[in-house]
Amino acid sequence: MGAMAETDADFERIAEVEADERSRIALGRAGVRRKDRYLVFKNEGTGEIRMIPMASVPAREMIIWENDELRDSLLRGLADSSAGRISYRDDYLEDDDE
């Protein structure tokens, strides 16, 4: 990860919180919701903790992110679908024996 560009001016004070008996801190007031994922960094010198929102990609979907040609094709297909530039081809489902 690269150096953090944020300054103290980029942060808003939300609340003062206290860790519970299991060392947990509730972050709901900061907008964190159930199942949200974060990368967590700690500056040992200052004690500052920084959480960066993240999303995990299932291994079976990584091919889309690793293959530019495949990803571009998928995005073109989605754009065509959104713009109504698709047609349904039920004839692909018909049995050739009929």
Side-chain angles (χ1 to χ4, degrees):
M1 292 253 133
M4 300 291 175
E6 296 88 2
T7 65
D8 288 340
D10 295 325
F11 290 90
E12 173 187 353
R13 183 180 176 139
I14 302 295
E16 184 172 320
V17 295
E18 183 176 344
D20 67 12
E21 66 281 349
R22 293 179 59 193
S23 301
R24 298 175 299 189
I25 295 178
L27 298 171
R29 287 188 265 175
V32 175
R33 296 176 314 259
R34 181 170 159 60
K35 301 286 186 175
D36 282 354
R37 297 180 67 87
Y38 291 85
L39 291 173
V40 180
F41 300 89
K42 181 177 180 185
N43 181 319
E44 289 295 333
T46 66
E48 179 181 18
I49 297 172
R50 185 160 295 181
M51 297 171 38
I52 309 297
M54 64 166 288
S56 296
V57 177
R60 69 180 182 273
E61 297 175 12
M62 278 304 294
I63 190 170
I64 299 297
W65 299 104
E66 295 172 339
N67 183 319
D68 292 340
E69 185 177 337
L70 181 60
R71 185 175 57 252
D72 291 344
S73 176
L74 175 64
L75 293 175
R76 280 192 310 274
L78 291 171
D80 285 345
S81 179
S82 293
R85 294 186 300 261
I86 63 165
S87 59
Y88 293 97
R89 299 291 309 263
D90 289 337
D91 56 323
Y92 285 120
L93 302 176
E94 292 178 6
D95 191 358
D96 288 336
D97 294 334
E98 291 180 12

